[in-house]
Amino acid sequence: MTGTPGPGPAPDRTPAWRTSARPPRPVRRRRARSLAAGVAAALALGGAVAGGAPAVAAPAGSPAGKAPGAAQCVKKHAAKGAAAKAVCARAGDLLGVTLDQLRPTQPSVGFDQIYYKLGRYSSTKDEQNGDVNKRFDDWCETNGQEEAATVPAGATLARPSSFTCTVPVGQETDETRAAMKTVVVGPGGELYLTDGHHTLTSFLETADGGPKTPIRLRVTANLSDLGTAAFWRTMQDRKWVWLRDENDRPITTDQLPQRLGLSRFHDDRYRSLVYFTRDIGYQAPDDATEYLEFLWGTWLRERVDLGSYDLTSPASYLSAVRTASGAMSDTPGDTVIADGRTADELGRMAEWNDGKKPTGGEFGKLSTPITDKKPGKLAYALDYRAHLPVKPAKPGKPGKPGKSGKPGKHDHKK
């Protein structure tokens, strides 16, 4: 049964031949993987996160974090413990954290987007296709290290030294840093995630991840010297926080989740819908604004009634994606979508599905069923969701799937 969630760490499914360098894919947009580079990455990362405290690493070619006062700053704030390095981080620094240290800046996520990740992470189809499981590529990319190089038997996300990435720590490029998620340092050294809620929640919820999974984030700004009120004003002025709920109603900063985890978020179905239209109706621009998908979701609420679709049915869900992505590409590029941003600024594609037929392109891939050798994202999501434990029904009401993507040790209550 593909994508069935389990209560604990999944047994290792990595073929023994993965202990050697991973061969290049037939068509690669990135450079070939290097075993030597990956080993160096693992060794360097192991030092970067040893002891569990956040570590600051300067991006390649940047003086950030290397200034003469950096060490003195950490020493000055030593009483803050693990938060000392966060307080001393500068914009552009790469900050080593664990997932349980991060505070969200949005109240909702698209559960189906995360279900796709969890379904694929718990499947063996990537390995059956001669590749490593996607979770290792995702982790390496998020950590600024491009993609996985070697994944030996027994490797886990919670222990990054157990696998290697193609780009060594300290040799990041502008391109690999651009793929990293971002964080703002707030009062007291608190870390506010401004991009990556879906990716990092997937790492936290997957069987071999968890709240102590380490990852590096790119520091957008250090606002630790501001008071709480001034901090939130700045966050709102710079659009680094999303204060709308899953029904597009305003919320206050006090209503934001305190930590990552599916049980802490609300499910925004339009956020998931936008995710599945990616590369069909829009493509995220290189200079994409924060919360771009929420802006598209705000616009689509008035144009696509999800209540008229059966989102448990692949065919009906695909129809919703087809309608939504068509509306995105059909609208004139200078149309203001939300927050003063035009369709072109939000990555509108002038040709639906890049000009390809529905059976081809990204929409064709999305339509691929779970029984296929390479299922589509939507198939993984619906298959995973279908196998979630059902909550006991209240009198007179049917039962429904649990809220969390993987009930168990990481499924915390608010």
Side-chain angles (χ1 to χ4, degrees):
M1 179 168 57
T2 302
T4 304
D12 177 74
R13 304 182 177 115
T14 308
W17 65 267
R18 283 290 180 220
T19 57
S20 61
R22 173 178 174 178
R25 292 169 178 161
V27 178
R28 307 196 63 80
R29 295 172 59 187
R30 302 167 181 164
R31 63 188 178 84
R33 300 164 193 259
S34 162
L35 175 60
V39 172
L43 294 174
L45 180 60
V49 297
V56 177
S62 167
K66 299 179 181 179
Q72 290 87 331
C73 178
V74 173
K75 184 176 181 181
K76 175 182 176 181
H77 295 281
K80 291 183 170 63
K85 289 183 178 179
V87 168
C88 296
R90 302 181 178 190
D93 282 355
L94 306 186
L95 188 64
V97 304
T98 54
L99 299 181
D100 60 352
Q101 295 175 294
L102 302 174
R103 297 188 62 166
T105 54
Q106 63 191 52
S108 308
V109 292
F111 279 23
D112 284 343
Q113 176 177 341
I114 293 175
Y115 290 161
Y116 152 61
K117 294 279 191 179
L118 296 178
R120 187 161 179 181
Y121 291 175
S122 60
S123 171
T124 60
K125 292 210 173 189
D126 285 337
E127 292 91 335
Q128 291 168 6
N129 290 327
D131 212 337
V132 301
N133 189 279
K134 182 173 171 58
R135 68 188 189 275
F136 296 106
D137 275 343
D138 286 353
W139 189 94
C140 288
E141 179 180 66
T142 302
N143 207 54
Q145 296 181 260
E146 196 172 59
E147 58 185 8
T150 61
V151 182
T156 65
L157 289 190
R159 191 165 56 93
S161 60
S162 65
F163 59 94
T164 69
C165 306
T166 56
V167 174
V169 168
Q171 294 185 24
E172 301 83 10
T173 65
D174 289 343
E175 181 181 1
T176 64
R177 289 199 305 273
M180 300 179 73
K181 308 308 179 183
T182 53
V183 67
V184 170
V185 182
E190 288 281 357
L191 301 174
Y192 292 85
L193 187 67
T194 54
D195 177 44
H197 293 77
H198 290 77
T199 296
L200 299 187
T201 297
S202 299
F203 294 164
L204 186 150
E205 297 284 357
T206 199
D208 69 337
K212 292 298 182 181
T213 300
I215 197 71
R216 293 183 307 165
L217 303 173
R218 181 162 44 84
V219 177
T220 299
N222 189 330
L223 305 179
S224 60
D225 58 339
L226 298 181
T228 301
F231 168 75
W232 283 118
R233 282 197 301 272
T234 302
M235 292 289 284
Q236 292 180 64
D237 289 345
R238 299 186 184 181
K239 303 186 186 303
W240 289 338
V241 60
W242 181 259
L243 297 177
R244 312 287 297 186
D245 71 8
E246 72 278 13
N247 296 308
D248 201 35
R249 297 173 300 202
I251 65 165
T252 67
T253 57
D254 291 338
Q255 293 174 283
L256 290 169
Q258 295 299 300
R259 289 291 183 261
L260 296 176
L262 267 174
S263 65
R264 299 174 183 267
F265 287 109
H266 294 278
D267 179 19
D268 187 335
R269 298 186 303 166
Y270 283 88
R271 178 60 180 77
S272 291
L273 178 66
V274 174
Y275 174 70
F276 292 124
T277 67
R278 185 178 296 177
D279 296 323
I280 301 171
Y282 86 101
Q283 291 177 322
D286 291 338
D287 57 348
T289 181
E290 303 288 0
Y291 310 105
L292 177 149
E293 290 85 357
F294 281 112
L295 297 178
W296 274 120
T298 297
W299 184 78
L300 286 172
R301 287 174 195 276
E302 300 177 0
R303 291 159 179 82
V304 181
D305 177 13
L306 286 180
S308 65
Y309 295 90
D310 178 4
L311 299 185
T312 66
S313 162
S316 187
Y317 208 136
L318 280 168
S319 180
V321 173
R322 177 67 178 88
T323 300
S325 57
M328 297 162 87
S329 61
D330 287 345
T331 195
D334 58 357
T335 302
V336 175
I337 300 300
D339 198 30
R341 303 279 182 169
T342 67
D344 281 346
E345 288 175 327
L346 296 182
R348 162 192 170 268
M349 295 177 68
E351 291 187 283
W352 179 81
N353 199 31
D354 202 24
K356 297 178 175 63
K357 296 179 180 180
T359 53
E362 289 300 317
F363 190 79
K365 293 178 182 178
L366 187 69
S367 306
T368 308
I370 194 65
T371 54
D372 195 82
K373 181 179 179 181
K374 294 184 178 181
K377 294 178 180 178
L378 186 57
Y380 273 120
L382 296 189
D383 181 71
Y384 189 89
R385 173 149 55 89
H387 292 104
L388 289 174
V390 177
K391 289 184 177 180
K394 295 182 180 179
K397 294 184 178 181
K400 52 186 177 181
K403 189 175 183 182
S404 173
K406 186 183 72 59
K409 61 180 180 179
H410 309 321
D411 189 15
H412 311 294
K413 297 296 182 184
K414 287 185 179 180

